[in-house]
Amino acid sequence: MDLVVMAAAVAFGIFAIVWLLRNDRPVWRSLGFTVNRWTLLDIVIGLAIPLAVIGLVFLVEWGLGAIRVAAGASDWSGLGGALGEIVFYAVFEEVLFRVLMLTALVILLRRLAAGRWIAVAVVALIFGAVHLTNENATLIGAFGTALGGLIYGIAYLGTRAIWLPLFLHISWNLSQALWGFPVSGSTRWPGWVTSTSVDGAELLNGGAYGPEAGLPGMLARVAIIALVFVYLKLIWPGGSIRTLTFAPDPVKRRVTAAAA
């Protein structure tokens, strides 16, 4: 990952933490590190949605003849290490892009009516752009990855917690690996089937970058965004898609202490 982007994210994070402290906001809860009655449901929903949607992408691409399907991995001894790697990268990227960078941009743009949407879009574009350094990366693949950034940003601001975006991220990558797809250009993780791209069908299969660079994969991203909004509206019916506000922001520490 570009060191400039990492340094910028850390700088944004420092700004966000200082602003939260100066404004008497609970830092850890404001950054999304909070456990509440919705946490377990966030984790379950985060795991379930991409698993189902990527399974549908697999069936669509197979049915359209865009991939060749063969037997999966015969040796699963490295599964634990592969899972740990997927989880590590998801945690690292969510902390960097959503917890640090997105939180800071929301603070900076808080006076704009569309400030949250602008912040989510900017961070999503940066998130997609940094994946241009991945193996087999393309501009189309980076755009598909940016759509993922939209998903995670919406989930993060919608729940005001890290859990839904984190497990959506983990499940998206893990599901691609299990269905034998490249994961953002990488094929080093085992799957229960092997899905090989058919030459000339890159519009459908995304080529060597994986489903994110293909039309079914991008439509899957859009479907996940819609499902995330359904989930958010079910929990917070009064939430607004227009302003991207659902779960309430943590209140000031002094107000909380006074109420107690």
Side-chain angles (χ1 to χ4, degrees):
M1 185 178 294
D2 193 333
L3 291 177
V4 174
V5 174
M6 292 177 60
V10 171
F12 273 121
I14 293 171
F15 162 78
I17 292 170
V18 170
W19 187 92
L20 291 168
L21 289 171
R22 287 173 63 93
N23 287 271
D24 297 309
R25 303 282 180 174
V27 174
W28 285 107
R29 282 189 289 148
S30 296
L31 294 176
F33 296 107
T34 182
V35 175
N36 55 42
R37 59 175 175 159
W38 303 114
T39 299
L40 181 58
L41 186 58
D42 284 353
I43 293 172
V44 172
I45 292 296
L47 289 172
I49 289 178
L51 183 62
V53 171
I54 290 295
L56 183 59
V57 169
F58 171 82
L59 292 175
V60 168
E61 291 189 12
W62 191 15
L64 293 174
I67 55 174
R68 298 186 185 93
V69 179
S74 58
D75 181 8
W76 289 86
S77 60
L79 179 61
L83 181 58
E85 192 175 359
I86 287 174
V87 170
F88 170 80
Y89 279 115
V91 170
F92 179 73
E93 291 179 345
E94 288 311 303
V95 169
L96 206 66
F97 289 100
R98 257 58 67 179
V99 173
L100 301 181
M101 190 176 291
L102 182 55
T103 299
L105 282 179
V106 167
I107 292 171
L108 288 169
L109 300 173
R110 66 190 183 279
R111 301 188 187 280
L112 299 180
R116 290 191 170 206
W117 274 110
I118 295 171
V120 167
V122 169
V123 174
L125 288 173
I126 297 171
F127 181 68
V130 299
H131 284 77
L132 284 171
T133 59
N134 283 24
E135 186 179 0
N136 301 311
T138 64
L139 285 173
I140 296 175
F143 176 76
T145 301
L147 289 177
L150 282 180
I151 294 171
Y152 310 139
I154 291 168
Y156 177 69
L157 293 185
T159 60
R160 296 303 297 130
I162 189 64
W163 311 112
L164 182 59
L166 174 59
F167 281 89
L168 284 167
H169 196 157
I170 291 171
S171 184
W172 175 270
N173 289 345
L174 179 61
S175 298
Q176 287 184 112
L178 289 175
W179 285 110
F181 290 121
V183 181
S184 299
S186 173
T187 56
R188 62 182 179 274
W189 294 304
W192 47 44
V193 295
T194 300
S195 302
T196 306
S197 301
V198 173
D199 291 340
E202 286 80 8
L203 181 63
L204 295 174
N205 59 41
Y209 191 77
E212 294 162 325
L215 186 57
M218 291 186 189
L219 291 176
R221 294 286 211 190
V222 175
I224 291 176
I225 291 173
L227 290 171
V228 168
F229 275 128
V230 169
Y231 174 64
L232 293 174
K233 289 293 284 186
L234 286 173
I235 297 178
W236 294 283
S240 170
I241 295 175
R242 182 178 62 83
T243 59
L244 202 48
T245 52
F246 291 89
D249 289 336
V251 298
K252 291 186 177 183
R253 290 178 296 173
R254 290 175 183 171
V255 172
T256 303

